[in-house]
Every structure is written in C-alpha cells, then in structure tokens.
Amino acid sequence: MKPLVSPMQAWSCVVISAFAILILGVLALLFRSNHPELVGSDEDPSDGPEVAGTIFIAVLIYAGFFVFCGIQGLLHLRQSRRGQIHL
C-alpha cells in the first residue's frame, strides 16, 4: 500500500490532531460539568451538556485524522526500511 501524503504532512497531522483531541476533550469535559466559567454569564450557552456533545463529535473527527495520518506515517517508515527511493 502506498502512502497518500508526504511524511512531513502525515506527522504534522498526527501532532496537530493529538493537541486538538487533548484541548477539545478538556473543553468538552468542562462544558459537560457546567463549569461556571463557561456557562455562567448571559451570553454563554445555557445547555452545557449539549455543547459538550457537539465538541465530542469534533474530538471523534480528530481521532479519525489521528489514526489515518498515523497510518500514513507508519507506511512511510515501512517504505523507507525497504530501501525504496521516494521523490
């Protein structure tokens, strides 16, 4: 199987996705617990668990990117161990 993206793009996507999963996961947990800093004022959303559900969907999408890009990076590692020349 050939990789679809370059090694730099694959590993950058892995790093960005990991940070997005971490940051959005913490944010979703705070919304789910109705943290007063996030849902305390009049302009903030009133239903924290509903917002948390939406953020968790974004976390799942980033998890998909993390898996896909990680596989792409591993394919590049496997390809370079075989001695293939990539341009």
Side-chain angles (χ1 to χ4, degrees):
M1 188 169 169
K2 287 182 72 171
L4 299 175
V5 297
S6 72
M8 184 65 175
Q9 290 172 334
W11 293 119
S12 296
C13 178
V14 167
V15 171
I16 291 169
S17 297
F19 280 118
I21 290 168
L22 178 71
I23 292 168
L24 288 174
V26 169
L27 194 60
L29 290 174
L30 289 172
F31 268 111
R32 188 176 67 179
S33 67
N34 283 324
H35 193 276
E37 194 68 33
L38 298 174
V39 294
S41 75
D42 293 336
E43 294 97 25
D44 294 335
S46 59
D47 191 13
E50 187 175 331
V51 175
T54 304
I55 295 173
F56 278 129
I57 291 171
V59 169
L60 290 175
I61 292 170
Y62 274 108
F65 280 123
F66 182 81
V67 169
F68 173 75
C69 294
I71 290 171
Q72 293 294 303
L74 293 175
L75 284 174
H76 279 290
L77 286 177
R78 190 179 86 177
Q79 202 174 46
S80 67
R81 287 186 186 143
R82 288 185 186 166
Q84 292 180 348
I85 299 173
H86 60 291
L87 302 174

Coordinates of all heavy atoms in Angstrom, one line a residue:
M1 N 0.8 -1.2 0.0 CA 0.0 0.0 0.0 C 0.9 1.2 0.0 O 1.8 1.3 0.8 CB -0.9 0.0 1.2 CG -1.9 1.0 1.3 SD -3.0 0.6 2.7 CE -3.9 2.1 2.7
K2 N 0.6 2.2 -0.9 CA 1.4 3.4 -1.0 C 0.7 4.5 -0.1 O -0.5 4.7 -0.1 CB 1.4 3.9 -2.4 CG 2.3 3.0 -3.3 CD 2.3 3.6 -4.7 CE 3.2 4.8 -4.7 NZ 3.5 5.3 -6.0
P3 N 1.6 5.3 0.5 CA 1.1 6.5 1.3 C 0.4 7.5 0.4 O 0.8 7.7 -0.8 CB 2.3 7.0 2.0 CG 3.3 6.0 1.9 CD 3.0 5.1 0.7
L4 N -0.6 8.2 0.9 CA -1.2 9.2 0.1 C -0.7 10.6 0.3 O -0.9 11.5 -0.5 CB -2.7 9.2 0.4 CG -3.5 8.0 0.2 CD1 -4.9 8.1 0.7 CD2 -3.5 7.6 -1.3
V5 N 0.0 10.8 1.4 CA 0.5 12.2 1.7 C 2.0 12.0 2.1 O 2.5 10.9 2.3 CB -0.2 12.8 2.9 CG1 -1.6 13.1 2.6 CG2 -0.1 12.0 4.2
S6 N 2.7 13.1 2.1 CA 4.2 13.1 2.3 C 4.4 12.8 3.8 O 3.5 13.0 4.7 CB 4.8 14.4 1.9 OG 4.4 15.4 2.9
P7 N 5.6 12.4 4.2 CA 5.9 12.1 5.6 C 5.7 13.3 6.5 O 5.2 13.2 7.6 CB 7.4 11.7 5.6 CG 7.7 11.3 4.2 CD 6.8 12.0 3.3
M8 N 6.1 14.5 6.0 CA 6.0 15.7 6.8 C 4.6 16.1 7.1 O 4.2 16.4 8.2 CB 6.7 16.9 6.1 CG 6.7 18.1 6.9 SD 7.7 17.9 8.4 CE 7.7 19.5 9.0
Q9 N 3.7 15.9 6.1 CA 2.3 16.2 6.2 C 1.7 15.2 7.2 O 0.8 15.5 8.0 CB 1.6 16.2 4.9 CG 1.9 17.3 4.0 CD 1.3 17.1 2.6 OE1 1.1 16.0 2.2 NE2 1.1 18.2 1.9
A10 N 2.1 13.9 7.1 CA 1.5 12.9 7.9 C 1.8 13.1 9.4 O 0.9 13.1 10.2 CB 2.0 11.5 7.5
W11 N 3.1 13.4 9.7 CA 3.5 13.5 11.1 C 3.0 14.9 11.7 O 2.7 15.0 12.8 CB 5.0 13.4 11.3 CG 5.4 12.0 11.0 CD1 6.3 11.6 10.0 CD2 5.0 10.8 11.6 NE1 6.4 10.2 10.0 CE2 5.6 9.7 11.0 CE3 4.1 10.5 12.7 CZ2 5.4 8.4 11.4 CZ3 3.9 9.2 13.0 CH2 4.6 8.1 12.4
S12 N 2.9 15.9 10.8 CA 2.3 17.2 11.3 C 0.9 17.0 11.6 O 0.4 17.5 12.6 CB 2.5 18.2 10.2 OG 3.8 18.5 9.9
C13 N 0.2 16.2 10.8 CA -1.3 16.0 11.1 C -1.4 15.2 12.4 O -2.4 15.4 13.1 CB -1.8 15.2 9.9 SG -3.6 14.7 10.1
V14 N -0.5 14.3 12.6 CA -0.6 13.5 13.9 C -0.4 14.4 15.1 O -1.2 14.3 16.1 CB 0.5 12.4 13.9 CG1 0.7 11.8 15.3 CG2 0.1 11.3 12.9
V15 N 0.5 15.3 15.0 CA 0.8 16.2 16.2 C -0.4 17.2 16.4 O -0.9 17.4 17.5 CB 2.1 17.0 16.0 CG1 2.3 18.1 17.0 CG2 3.3 16.0 16.0
I16 N -0.8 17.8 15.3 CA -2.0 18.7 15.4 C -3.2 18.0 15.9 O -3.9 18.5 16.7 CB -2.2 19.4 14.0 CG1 -1.0 20.3 13.7 CG2 -3.5 20.2 14.0 CD1 -1.0 20.8 12.3
S17 N -3.5 16.8 15.4 CA -4.7 16.1 15.8 C -4.6 15.7 17.3 O -5.6 15.7 18.0 CB -4.8 14.8 15.0 OG -5.1 15.1 13.6
A18 N -3.4 15.3 17.8 CA -3.2 15.0 19.2 C -3.5 16.2 20.1 O -4.2 16.0 21.1 CB -1.8 14.4 19.4
F19 N -3.0 17.3 19.7 CA -3.2 18.5 20.5 C -4.7 18.9 20.4 O -5.3 19.3 21.5 CB -2.4 19.7 20.1 CG -1.0 19.6 20.6 CD1 0.1 19.6 19.7 CD2 -0.7 19.7 22.0 CE1 1.4 19.5 20.2 CE2 0.5 19.6 22.5 CZ 1.6 19.5 21.6
A20 N -5.3 18.8 19.3 CA -6.8 19.1 19.2 C -7.6 18.1 20.0 O -8.6 18.6 20.7 CB -7.2 19.0 17.7
I21 N -7.3 16.9 20.0 CA -8.0 15.9 20.9 C -7.9 16.3 22.3 O -8.9 16.3 23.1 CB -7.5 14.5 20.6 CG1 -7.9 14.0 19.2 CG2 -8.0 13.5 21.6 CD1 -7.3 12.7 18.7
L22 N -6.7 16.6 22.7 CA -6.5 17.0 24.1 C -7.2 18.2 24.5 O -8.0 18.3 25.5 CB -5.0 17.1 24.4 CG -4.6 17.6 25.8 CD1 -4.8 16.4 26.8 CD2 -3.1 18.0 25.8
I23 N -7.1 19.3 23.8 CA -7.7 20.6 24.1 C -9.2 20.5 24.0 O -9.9 20.9 24.9 CB -7.1 21.7 23.2 CG1 -5.6 21.9 23.5 CG2 -7.9 23.0 23.3 CD1 -4.9 22.8 22.5
L24 N -9.7 19.9 22.9 CA -11.2 19.8 22.8 C -11.8 18.9 23.8 O -12.9 19.1 24.3 CB -11.5 19.4 21.4 CG -11.3 20.5 20.3 CD1 -11.6 19.9 18.9 CD2 -12.2 21.7 20.5
G25 N -11.0 17.8 24.2 CA -11.5 16.9 25.2 C -11.7 17.6 26.5 O -12.7 17.4 27.2
V26 N -10.7 18.4 26.9 CA -10.8 19.1 28.2 C -11.9 20.1 28.1 O -12.7 20.2 29.1 CB -9.4 19.8 28.5 CG1 -9.6 20.8 29.7 CG2 -8.4 18.7 28.8
L27 N -12.0 20.8 27.0 CA -13.1 21.8 26.9 C -14.5 21.1 27.0 O -15.4 21.6 27.6 CB -12.9 22.5 25.5 CG -13.7 23.8 25.3 CD1 -13.4 24.8 26.4 CD2 -13.5 24.3 24.0
A28 N -14.6 20.0 26.3 CA -15.9 19.3 26.4 C -16.2 18.8 27.8 O -17.4 18.9 28.2 CB -15.9 18.1 25.4
L29 N -15.2 18.3 28.5 CA -15.5 17.9 29.9 C -15.9 19.1 30.8 O -16.7 18.9 31.6 CB -14.2 17.2 30.4 CG -13.9 15.9 29.9 CD1 -12.5 15.4 30.4 CD2 -14.9 14.9 30.2
L30 N -15.3 20.2 30.5 CA -15.7 21.4 31.3 C -17.1 21.8 31.0 O -17.9 22.2 31.9 CB -14.7 22.6 31.0 CG -13.3 22.4 31.6 CD1 -12.4 23.5 31.2 CD2 -13.4 22.4 33.1
F31 N -17.5 21.8 29.7 CA -18.9 22.1 29.3 C -19.9 21.1 29.9 O -21.0 21.4 30.4 CB -19.1 22.2 27.8 CG -18.9 23.6 27.3 CD1 -17.8 23.8 26.5 CD2 -19.8 24.6 27.5 CE1 -17.6 25.1 25.9 CE2 -19.6 25.8 27.0 CZ -18.5 26.1 26.2
R32 N -19.5 19.8 29.9 CA -20.4 18.7 30.4 C -20.6 18.9 31.9 O -21.7 18.6 32.4 CB -19.8 17.4 30.1 CG -20.8 16.2 30.4 CD -20.2 14.9 30.1 NE -19.1 14.6 31.0 CZ -18.4 13.5 30.9 NH1 -18.7 12.6 30.0 NH2 -17.4 13.3 31.7
S33 N -19.6 19.4 32.6 CA -19.8 19.6 34.1 C -20.4 21.0 34.4 O -20.5 21.3 35.6 CB -18.5 19.4 34.8 OG -17.6 20.4 34.4
N34 N -20.8 21.7 33.4 CA -21.4 23.0 33.5 C -20.5 23.9 34.4 O -20.9 24.6 35.3 CB -22.8 23.0 34.2 CG -23.9 22.6 33.2 OD1 -23.8 22.9 32.0 ND2 -24.8 21.8 33.6
H35 N -19.3 24.0 34.0 CA -18.3 24.8 34.7 C -18.8 26.3 34.6 O -19.1 26.8 33.5 CB -16.9 24.7 34.0 CG -15.8 25.2 34.9 ND1 -15.5 26.5 34.8 CD2 -15.0 24.6 35.8 CE1 -14.5 26.8 35.7 NE2 -14.2 25.6 36.2
P36 N -18.8 27.0 35.7 CA -19.3 28.4 35.7 C -18.6 29.3 34.9 O -19.1 30.3 34.4 CB -19.3 28.8 37.2 CG -18.4 27.8 37.9 CD -18.4 26.6 37.0
E37 N -17.3 29.1 34.6 CA -16.5 30.0 33.7 C -17.0 29.9 32.3 O -16.9 30.9 31.5 CB -15.1 29.6 33.8 CG -14.1 30.6 33.3 CD -14.1 31.9 34.1 OE1 -14.2 31.8 35.3 OE2 -13.9 33.0 33.5
L38 N -17.6 28.8 31.9 CA -18.0 28.6 30.5 C -19.5 28.8 30.3 O -19.9 29.1 29.2 CB -17.6 27.2 30.0 CG -16.1 26.9 30.0 CD1 -15.9 25.5 29.7 CD2 -15.4 27.8 29.0
V39 N -20.3 28.5 31.3 CA -21.8 28.7 31.1 C -22.4 29.6 32.2 O -23.6 29.6 32.4 CB -22.5 27.3 31.2 CG1 -22.1 26.4 30.0 CG2 -22.2 26.6 32.5
G40 N -21.6 30.5 32.8 CA -22.1 31.3 33.9 C -22.8 32.6 33.5 O -23.6 33.1 34.3
S41 N -22.4 33.2 32.4 CA -23.0 34.5 32.1 C -24.1 34.4 31.1 O -24.5 33.4 30.7 CB -21.9 35.4 31.5 OG -21.6 35.1 30.2
D42 N -24.7 35.6 30.8 CA -25.9 35.6 30.0 C -25.6 35.3 28.5 O -26.4 34.7 27.8 CB -26.5 37.0 30.0 CG -27.1 37.3 31.4 OD1 -27.4 36.3 32.1 OD2 -27.3 38.5 31.7
E43 N -24.4 35.6 28.0 CA -24.0 35.4 26.6 C -23.5 34.0 26.4 O -23.5 33.5 25.2 CB -22.9 36.4 26.2 CG -23.3 37.8 26.1 CD -22.9 38.5 27.4 OE1 -21.9 38.1 28.0 OE2 -23.5 39.5 27.7
D44 N -23.2 33.2 27.4 CA -22.7 31.9 27.3 C -23.9 30.9 27.0 O -25.0 31.2 27.3 CB -22.0 31.4 28.6 CG -20.7 32.2 28.8 OD1 -20.2 32.7 27.8 OD2 -20.3 32.3 29.9
P45 N -23.6 29.8 26.4 CA -24.7 28.8 26.2 C -25.3 28.3 27.5 O -24.5 28.1 28.4 CB -24.0 27.7 25.4 CG -22.5 27.9 25.5 CD -22.3 29.3 25.9
S46 N -26.6 28.1 27.5 CA -27.2 27.6 28.7 C -27.2 26.1 28.9 O -27.2 25.7 30.1 CB -28.7 28.1 28.7 OG -29.3 27.5 27.6
D47 N -27.1 25.4 27.8 CA -27.1 23.9 28.0 C -25.7 23.4 27.7 O -25.3 23.0 26.6 CB -28.1 23.3 27.0 CG -28.3 21.9 27.2 OD1 -27.9 21.3 28.3 OD2 -28.9 21.2 26.3
G48 N -24.9 23.3 28.8 CA -23.5 22.8 28.7 C -23.3 21.4 28.1 O -22.5 21.1 27.2
P49 N -24.1 20.4 28.6 CA -24.0 19.0 28.0 C -24.3 18.9 26.5 O -23.7 18.1 25.9 CB -25.0 18.2 28.9 CG -25.1 19.0 30.2 CD -25.0 20.4 29.8
E50 N -25.2 19.8 26.0 CA -25.4 19.7 24.6 C -24.2 20.3 23.8 O -23.8 19.7 22.8 CB -26.7 20.6 24.3 CG -27.1 20.5 22.8 CD -28.4 21.2 22.6 OE1 -29.2 21.3 23.5 OE2 -28.6 21.7 21.4
V51 N -23.6 21.3 24.3 CA -22.4 21.8 23.7 C -21.3 20.8 23.8 O -20.5 20.6 22.8 CB -22.0 23.2 24.4 CG1 -20.7 23.7 23.8 CG2 -23.0 24.2 24.2
A52 N -21.2 20.1 24.9 CA -20.2 19.1 25.1 C -20.3 18.0 24.1 O -19.4 17.4 23.6 CB -20.2 18.5 26.5
G53 N -21.6 17.6 23.8 CA -21.8 16.6 22.8 C -21.3 17.0 21.4 O -20.7 16.1 20.7
T54 N -21.5 18.2 21.1 CA -21.0 18.7 19.8 C -19.5 18.7 19.7 O -18.9 18.3 18.7 CB -21.5 20.1 19.5 OG1 -23.0 20.1 19.6 CG2 -21.1 20.7 18.2
I55 N -18.9 19.1 20.8 CA -17.4 19.1 20.9 C -16.8 17.7 20.9 O -15.8 17.4 20.2 CB -16.9 19.9 22.2 CG1 -17.3 21.3 22.1 CG2 -15.4 19.8 22.3 CD1 -17.0 22.1 23.3
F56 N -17.5 16.7 21.5 CA -17.1 15.4 21.4 C -17.1 14.8 20.0 O -16.3 14.0 19.7 CB -17.9 14.5 22.4 CG -17.4 14.5 23.8 CD1 -18.3 14.8 24.9 CD2 -16.1 14.3 24.1 CE1 -17.9 14.8 26.2 CE2 -15.6 14.4 25.4 CZ -16.5 14.6 26.5
I57 N -18.1 15.3 19.2 CA -18.1 14.8 17.8 C -16.9 15.3 17.1 O -16.3 14.6 16.3 CB -19.4 15.3 17.1 CG1 -20.6 14.6 17.7 CG2 -19.3 15.2 15.6 CD1 -21.9 15.2 17.2
A58 N -16.5 16.6 17.4 CA -15.2 17.1 16.8 C -14.0 16.3 17.3 O -13.1 16.1 16.5 CB -15.1 18.6 17.2
V59 N -14.0 15.8 18.5 CA -12.9 15.0 19.0 C -12.9 13.7 18.3 O -11.8 13.2 17.9 CB -13.1 14.8 20.6 CG1 -12.1 13.7 21.0 CG2 -12.9 16.1 21.3
L60 N -14.0 13.1 18.0 CA -14.1 11.9 17.2 C -13.5 12.1 15.8 O -12.8 11.2 15.2 CB -15.5 11.3 17.1 CG -16.0 10.7 18.4 CD1 -17.5 10.3 18.3 CD2 -15.2 9.6 18.9
I61 N -13.8 13.2 15.2 CA -13.3 13.5 13.8 C -11.8 13.6 13.9 O -11.1 13.1 13.0 CB -14.0 14.8 13.3 CG1 -15.5 14.5 13.0 CG2 -13.3 15.3 12.0 CD1 -16.3 15.7 12.6
Y62 N -11.3 14.4 14.9 CA -9.8 14.5 15.0 C -9.2 13.2 15.3 O -8.0 12.9 14.9 CB -9.5 15.5 16.1 CG -9.4 16.9 15.5 CD1 -10.4 17.9 15.8 CD2 -8.4 17.3 14.7 CE1 -10.3 19.1 15.3 CE2 -8.3 18.6 14.2 CZ -9.3 19.5 14.5 OH -9.3 20.8 14.0
A63 N -9.9 12.3 16.1 CA -9.3 10.9 16.3 C -9.2 10.2 15.0 O -8.2 9.4 14.8 CB -10.2 10.2 17.3
G64 N -10.2 10.3 14.1 CA -10.1 9.7 12.8 C -8.9 10.2 12.0 O -8.2 9.5 11.4
F65 N -8.7 11.5 12.1 CA -7.5 12.1 11.4 C -6.2 11.6 12.0 O -5.2 11.3 11.3 CB -7.5 13.6 11.5 CG -8.4 14.3 10.5 CD1 -9.4 15.2 10.9 CD2 -8.2 14.1 9.1 CE1 -10.2 15.8 10.0 CE2 -9.0 14.8 8.2 CZ -10.0 15.6 8.7
F66 N -6.2 11.5 13.3 CA -5.0 10.9 14.1 C -4.7 9.5 13.6 O -3.5 9.2 13.3 CB -5.3 11.0 15.6 CG -4.1 10.5 16.4 CD1 -3.1 11.4 16.7 CD2 -4.1 9.2 16.9 CE1 -2.0 11.0 17.4 CE2 -3.0 8.8 17.6 CZ -2.0 9.7 17.9
V67 N -5.7 8.7 13.5 CA -5.4 7.3 13.1 C -5.0 7.3 11.6 O -4.0 6.6 11.3 CB -6.7 6.5 13.3 CG1 -6.6 5.1 12.6 CG2 -7.0 6.3 14.8
F68 N -5.7 8.0 10.7 CA -5.3 8.0 9.3 C -3.9 8.5 9.1 O -3.1 7.9 8.4 CB -6.4 8.8 8.5 CG -6.0 9.0 7.1 CD1 -6.1 8.0 6.2 CD2 -5.4 10.2 6.6 CE1 -5.7 8.2 4.8 CE2 -5.1 10.4 5.3 CZ -5.2 9.4 4.4
C69 N -3.6 9.6 9.7 CA -2.3 10.2 9.5 C -1.2 9.4 10.1 O -0.1 9.3 9.6 CB -2.2 11.6 10.0 SG -3.3 12.8 9.1
G70 N -1.5 8.8 11.3 CA -0.5 7.9 11.9 C -0.2 6.7 11.0 O 0.9 6.3 10.9
I71 N -1.3 6.1 10.4 CA -1.0 5.0 9.4 C -0.2 5.5 8.2 O 0.7 4.8 7.8 CB -2.4 4.4 9.0 CG1 -3.0 3.7 10.2 CG2 -2.2 3.5 7.8 CD1 -4.4 3.2 9.9
Q72 N -0.5 6.7 7.8 CA 0.3 7.2 6.6 C 1.8 7.4 7.0 O 2.7 7.0 6.3 CB -0.2 8.5 6.2 CG -1.6 8.5 5.5 CD -1.6 7.7 4.2 OE1 -0.8 8.1 3.3 NE2 -2.4 6.7 4.2
G73 N 2.0 7.9 8.2 CA 3.4 8.0 8.7 C 4.1 6.7 8.9 O 5.3 6.5 8.5
L74 N 3.4 5.7 9.4 CA 4.0 4.3 9.5 C 4.2 3.7 8.2 O 5.2 2.9 8.0 CB 3.1 3.4 10.4 CG 2.9 3.9 11.8 CD1 1.9 3.0 12.5 CD2 4.3 3.8 12.5
L75 N 3.4 4.0 7.2 CA 3.6 3.5 5.8 C 4.9 4.0 5.3 O 5.7 3.3 4.6 CB 2.5 3.8 4.9 CG 1.2 2.9 5.1 CD1 0.1 3.5 4.2 CD2 1.5 1.5 4.7
H76 N 5.2 5.3 5.6 CA 6.4 5.9 5.1 C 7.6 5.3 5.8 O 8.7 5.0 5.2 CB 6.4 7.4 5.4 CG 5.7 8.2 4.3 ND1 6.2 8.4 3.0 CD2 4.5 8.9 4.4 CE1 5.3 9.1 2.3 NE2 4.3 9.4 3.1
L77 N 7.5 5.0 7.1 CA 8.6 4.3 7.8 C 8.8 2.9 7.2 O 10.0 2.5 7.0 CB 8.3 4.1 9.3 CG 8.4 5.4 10.1 CD1 7.9 5.1 11.6 CD2 9.8 5.9 10.1
R78 N 7.8 2.2 6.9 CA 7.9 0.9 6.3 C 8.6 0.9 5.0 O 9.4 0.1 4.6 CB 6.6 0.2 6.3 CG 6.6 -1.3 5.9 CD 5.3 -1.9 5.8 NE 4.8 -1.6 4.5 CZ 3.6 -2.1 4.1 NH1 2.8 -2.8 4.9 NH2 3.2 -1.8 2.8
Q79 N 8.2 1.9 4.2 CA 8.7 2.1 2.8 C 10.2 2.5 2.9 O 10.9 2.0 2.0 CB 7.9 3.2 2.1 CG 7.9 3.1 0.6 CD 7.0 4.1 0.0 OE1 7.0 5.3 0.5 NE2 6.2 3.7 -0.9
S80 N 10.6 3.3 3.8 CA 12.0 3.7 3.9 C 12.9 2.5 4.4 O 14.0 2.5 4.0 CB 12.1 4.9 4.8 OG 11.9 4.6 6.1
R81 N 12.3 1.6 5.1 CA 13.1 0.5 5.6 C 13.4 -0.5 4.5 O 14.3 -1.3 4.5 CB 12.4 -0.2 6.7 CG 12.5 0.5 8.0 CD 11.9 -0.2 9.2 NE 11.9 0.6 10.3 CZ 10.9 0.6 11.2 NH1 9.9 -0.3 11.1 NH2 10.9 1.3 12.3
R82 N 12.5 -0.5 3.5 CA 12.7 -1.4 2.3 C 13.8 -0.9 1.4 O 14.1 -1.6 0.4 CB 11.4 -1.6 1.6 CG 10.4 -2.4 2.3 CD 9.2 -2.6 1.4 NE 8.1 -3.2 2.0 CZ 6.9 -3.3 1.6 NH1 6.6 -2.7 0.4 NH2 5.9 -3.9 2.2
G83 N 14.2 0.3 1.6 CA 15.3 0.8 0.7 C 14.7 1.5 -0.6 O 15.4 1.8 -1.5
Q84 N 13.4 1.8 -0.6 CA 12.8 2.4 -1.8 C 13.2 3.9 -1.8 O 13.3 4.5 -0.7 CB 11.3 2.3 -1.7 CG 10.8 0.9 -2.0 CD 9.3 0.8 -1.9 OE1 8.6 1.8 -1.6 NE2 8.8 -0.3 -2.3
I85 N 13.4 4.4 -2.9 CA 13.7 5.8 -3.1 C 12.4 6.6 -3.3 O 11.6 6.2 -4.2 CB 14.6 6.0 -4.3 CG1 16.0 5.3 -4.0 CG2 14.9 7.5 -4.5 CD1 16.9 5.3 -5.2
H86 N 12.1 7.6 -2.5 CA 10.9 8.4 -2.7 C 11.3 9.8 -3.1 O 12.3 10.3 -2.7 CB 10.0 8.4 -1.5 CG 10.7 8.9 -0.3 ND1 11.7 8.3 0.4 CD2 10.4 10.1 0.4 CE1 12.1 9.0 1.4 NE2 11.3 10.1 1.4
L87 N 10.6 10.3 -4.1 CA 10.9 11.6 -4.6 C 10.0 12.7 -4.0 O 8.9 12.5 -3.6 CB 10.7 11.7 -6.1 CG 11.5 10.6 -6.9 CD1 11.2 10.7 -8.3 CD2 13.0 11.0 -6.7

